Amino acid sequence: MAFGFRSSDVSGFKFLLFMAIIYGLMSMLAYSILHMKFIKPLEIDAPLDRFSEARAFEHIRVLSKEIDGRQEGRPGLREAARYIKGELESIKERGGPNIRIEIEETVVNGSFQMNFLGHSIALGYRNHTNIIMRIGSADSKDTDPSVLLNGHFDSPLGSPGAGDCGSCVASMLEVARLIVDSGWVPPRPAIFLFNGAEELFMLGAHGFMKTHKWRHTIGASINVEASGTGGPDLVCQSGPGSWPSNVYAQSAMYPMAHSAAQDVFPVIPGDTDYRIFSQDYGDIPGLDIIFLLGGYFYHTSYDTMERILPGSIQARGDNLFSLLKAFTNSSKLQSSHERESGQAAVNKYKDEGAIFFDYLSWFMIYYSRRVALLLHSIPIAIFVAMPIFLHLMNCRSKSWFLTSLDFMKGLLFHATGILLAVIFPVIFSILRLLFTTQTMNWFAHPYLAFMMFIPCSLVGMLIPRIVWMCFPLSQDISVLKTSKEELSDEARFWGAFGFYAVVTVAYVVAGLSGGFLSFLVCAFMLPAWLFFCLSVKYYGRQSLRSTVFYLIPLIPCLAYSVYFGGFVLQFLIEKMGMMGAVPHPYGYFVPDIIVAALIGFVAGWCVGPVIPICGHWLARSYVLQFLLHLTVLTLALSSQFFPYSTAAPKRVVFQHTFHTAVEELFYSQIGRMQTRL
């Protein structure tokens, strides 16, 4: 023993350092993927048969810098329409005799009613401009099923709109050019809709779907949007049916899609043109693809081309071109009349949702809802059957029921650890705010949030491990002739496995699509347990080597958890700037509590599978004290940082209320009528 440390404490710190290195490397990998470091953008002199981000950037430069404002009612919107039409005419001139290109500029008028955020809104509009381009083979007919690629060229008030949605328009223009210059002739027509009124409750898309002659030919739609300035071009919505996501899984060059996004998108206070095409007025199978990172600049004057993450548009363009090829070649592409005539088959197909997710943008995993019902039920079946299996294999006389009780204890202890992983960061966030006058210090520096809340989250996860020793096992050790350590490891592991199995089944029962997250954990925990059991025979239960053997098979699963969790946390932190002021005194605590709770949950999810076996080395008094001291230190240091910067500006919203003489007369007459009544 040196400096008061026992050898077990030293081993605990060694393992903590090892864990920090492993998770640090996985975090670096996730960061590089989320910020598109793995993609090399092509220059402006790239071959004409390749999508070039640099060529797309030239369009963004014109739309966001040379044109002054693309808002409805400003001359810039009309100028943007002229620019887009001019570029399309230039592309048409280069088309050969085997391709048919039609360009239209339409002015749409109409009215409709929609339900937005629980409120019924009636909208009336007129004189909104759409630019449409249709590319097909020379012998294509106007009634042929087609694929719609949509993006809007208007921008929000006060914003240059480089990301939202100059990047969308630029990508579409470059894809249109690529079709012509590469010599590829779409077997079915591709329609490019540049709509001029998305920011005003999707008026341009509605006008197209209600009035244009090609609207009934559309068999699939791809809506490109931006809620930021780059990063993963995520498929946030897919449907009706599983066909669009299946096409995406098979064709995307850089797959970025999570079916879990469809579980949360309906509760997000926002909407896209996808709603018009695929839900309200078209029932068209489609994809909603959105830039999600860079939310600091979303709908602000900072949404300039310099803020767009390099590589993002390259990935988007390559994906869009591959998707157009796949959709136009698909035998399932049908016009609205063909879909209506085969409505029974369509309904059967629509009811079958799909589970899909990309693994670090390397490849896609896709399976149908029917397969998910079977696949996601396997972990809970294993959990229930394992006590009986152990009884038969180890001849544990009359102990299978007691084994089940121990497994249930393990499940409850693991669930408690995940809960404490959320509660501890929340408590520390409140304590910090009681001693400081500044909230959201992490806003411009997201790494501060991780440094503040992850160590105390680990402490919360490890507390049940310490308390475990105070609860006796249900099984009789003397009868079973098995060590207490072995039975404890067994109960903790299968309890944690059971927790994730229960979560997986809960997703299935709720009809949600995010069950793959917990199923993935279950799938990798089984080989990890097998490796651990084999290593124990050679190195012993108290060896660090055995613990490492348990950890190694989990690394692919943990890497995905870090990637997915890091993306969710970065997205949330950026969007917290749009939350707005919450009334005091409790509103002062709300942003920090939300971020602390989510970081705690993500930390619990990323580290939770490791705790049942590896927690033996971390649940040491000196390790816990170190984590608590680290938390207090980072909380103190974070108070020295200012929440905002030029790269993460504070949002200030001014609201003006106008009262006219007519309104005053109207309200006075209403008041007199109420008085008489």
Side-chain angles (χ1 to χ4, degrees), residues 271-457:
D271 231 324
T272 69
D273 286 329
Y274 169 88
R275 169 178 178 168
I276 300 295
F277 302 131
S278 299
Q279 296 174 3
D280 291 355
Y281 293 95
D283 200 31
I284 301 169
L287 300 169
D288 196 17
I289 307 178
I290 308 176
F291 280 155
L292 289 179
L293 293 187
Y296 291 124
F297 320 114
Y298 175 65
H299 282 201
T300 72
S301 58
Y302 290 86
D303 185 9
T304 60
M305 62 181 295
E306 291 79 15
R307 303 289 185 182
I308 296 177
L309 287 175
S312 300
I313 294 180
Q314 185 68 47
R316 165 173 277 182
D318 288 337
N319 280 351
L320 288 178
F321 191 55
S322 297
L323 284 171
L324 279 178
K325 284 185 173 181
F327 274 121
T328 54
N329 279 290
S330 176
S331 60
K332 295 181 179 178
L333 187 71
Q334 298 178 321
S335 66
S336 62
H337 298 301
E338 291 171 329
R339 289 197 303 272
E340 290 170 3
S341 62
Q343 196 63 42
V346 172
N347 286 337
K348 180 180 178 182
Y349 183 67
K350 278 175 60 176
D351 291 339
E352 184 185 356
I355 308 298
F356 55 89
F357 59 96
D358 70 278
Y359 186 81
L360 307 180
S361 293
W362 296 345
F363 57 87
M364 279 280 288
I365 296 175
Y366 172 95
Y367 47 95
S368 68
R369 175 76 62 177
R370 191 170 302 174
V371 172
L373 289 174
L374 174 63
L375 204 60
H376 290 189
S377 301
I378 293 176
I380 195 67
I382 293 175
F383 176 68
V384 172
M386 188 53 61
I388 301 174
F389 176 78
L390 291 174
H391 167 67
L392 296 175
M393 290 294 294
N394 300 333
C395 298
R396 299 182 180 182
S397 178
K398 299 180 181 180
S399 66
W400 71 268
F401 178 71
L402 299 179
T403 303
S404 299
L405 289 180
D406 285 336
F407 286 8
M408 290 304 299
K409 289 179 184 177
L411 189 154
L412 293 175
F413 271 79
H414 193 79
T416 303
I418 299 295
L419 182 62
L420 291 176
V422 175
I423 292 175
F424 268 54
V426 170
I427 292 174
F428 277 95
S429 70
I430 294 173
L431 291 175
R432 186 188 76 86
L433 293 176
L434 292 176
F435 294 96
T436 183
T437 58
Q438 198 79 275
T439 184
M440 294 178 62
N441 298 71
W442 36 261
F443 182 65
H445 314 281
Y447 61 88
L448 284 177
F450 302 117
M451 292 173 61
M452 284 191 294
F453 301 129
I454 289 179
C456 58
S457 179

Side-chain angles (χ1 to χ4, degrees), residues 15 89 124 157 165 196 257 350 371 394 398 455-456 474 490 518 559 604 611 613 618 626 630:
F15 188 75
E89 294 287 357
L157 190 64
C165 209
K350 278 175 60 176
V371 172
N394 300 333
K398 299 180 181 180
C456 58
S474 300
E490 191 179 81
S518 50
I611 294 298
I613 303 302
L618 299 175
F626 170 76
L630 183 61

Side-chain angles (χ1 to χ4, degrees), residues 5-22 544 547-548 551 614 617-618 620 622-623 626:
F5 287 98
R6 293 172 294 182
S7 59
S8 59
D9 292 321
V10 174
S11 299
F13 276 107
K14 286 181 179 178
F15 188 75
L16 180 64
L17 178 61
F18 174 72
M19 291 274 290
I21 293 173
I22 292 294
L544 269 174
T547 308
V548 171
L551 184 62
C614 304
W617 301 101
L618 299 175
R620 310 295 174 102
Y622 281 104
V623 174
F626 170 76

Side-chain angles (χ1 to χ4, degrees), residues 130-181:
N130 288 336
I131 309 296
I132 304 128
M133 181 186 202
R134 187 175 185 268
I135 304 178
S137 61
D139 57 351
S140 62
K141 303 179 179 61
D142 287 343
T143 56
D144 287 347
S146 58
V147 178
L148 175 69
L149 181 58
N150 173 76
H152 67 92
F153 63 88
D154 63 322
S155 63
L157 190 64
S159 173
D164 182 24
C165 209
S167 63
C168 310
V169 173
S171 301
M172 292 169 61
L173 288 173
E174 177 64 4
V175 168
R177 180 209 61 78
L178 180 57
I179 292 175
V180 173
D181 290 345

Side-chain angles (χ1 to χ4, degrees), residues 188-205:
R188 271 68 167 287
I191 297 175
F192 291 75
L193 170 59
F194 302 84
N195 83 74
E198 189 272 346
E199 298 293 351
L200 302 176
F201 286 96
M202 301 160 284
L203 305 182

Side-chain angles (χ1 to χ4, degrees), residues 373-582:
L373 289 174
L374 174 63
L375 204 60
H376 290 189
S377 301
I378 293 176
I380 195 67
I382 293 175
F383 176 68
V384 172
M386 188 53 61
I388 301 174
F389 176 78
L390 291 174
H391 167 67
L392 296 175
M393 290 294 294
N394 300 333
C395 298
R396 299 182 180 182
S397 178
K398 299 180 181 180
S399 66
W400 71 268
F401 178 71
L402 299 179
T403 303
S404 299
L405 289 180
D406 285 336
F407 286 8
M408 290 304 299
K409 289 179 184 177
L411 189 154
L412 293 175
F413 271 79
H414 193 79
T416 303
I418 299 295
L419 182 62
L420 291 176
V422 175
I423 292 175
F424 268 54
V426 170
I427 292 174
F428 277 95
S429 70
I430 294 173
L431 291 175
R432 186 188 76 86
L433 293 176
L434 292 176
F435 294 96
T436 183
T437 58
Q438 198 79 275
T439 184
M440 294 178 62
N441 298 71
W442 36 261
F443 182 65
H445 314 281
Y447 61 88
L448 284 177
F450 302 117
M451 292 173 61
M452 284 191 294
F453 301 129
I454 289 179
C456 58
S457 179
L458 291 175
V459 174
M461 273 186 283
L462 292 170
I463 284 179
R465 175 71 189 232
I466 299 171
V467 177
W468 176 274
M469 304 312 238
C470 303
F471 288 82
L473 292 166
S474 300
Q475 302 172 79
D476 191 339
I477 299 172
S478 60
V479 173
L480 296 175
K481 297 180 180 179
T482 306
S483 69
K484 181 179 179 181
E485 290 76 13
E486 180 180 350
L487 292 178
S488 295
D489 284 344
E490 191 179 81
R492 282 191 293 263
F493 171 81
W494 288 109
F497 180 89
F499 170 79
Y500 296 111
V502 169
V503 172
T504 304
V505 169
Y507 267 100
V508 172
V509 173
L512 301 176
S513 304
F516 67 86
L517 294 167
S518 50
F519 175 77
L520 200 65
V521 175
C522 293
F524 279 89
M525 285 184 74
L526 291 175
W529 176 248
L530 180 62
F531 271 59
F532 176 72
C533 292
L534 293 174
S535 63
V536 164
K537 296 181 179 180
Y538 294 97
Y539 304 111
R541 194 167 295 277
Q542 300 298 321
S543 171
L544 269 174
R545 293 182 180 180
S546 299
T547 308
V548 171
F549 269 97
Y550 173 80
L551 184 62
I552 289 174
L554 280 173
I555 286 179
C557 169
L558 300 178
Y560 182 80
S561 298
V562 170
Y563 161 73
F564 185 86
F567 170 74
V568 171
L569 289 173
Q570 183 66 33
F571 174 75
L572 175 76
I573 288 174
E574 292 179 354
K575 291 301 182 184
M576 289 303 292
M578 300 180 65
M579 182 175 177
V582 183

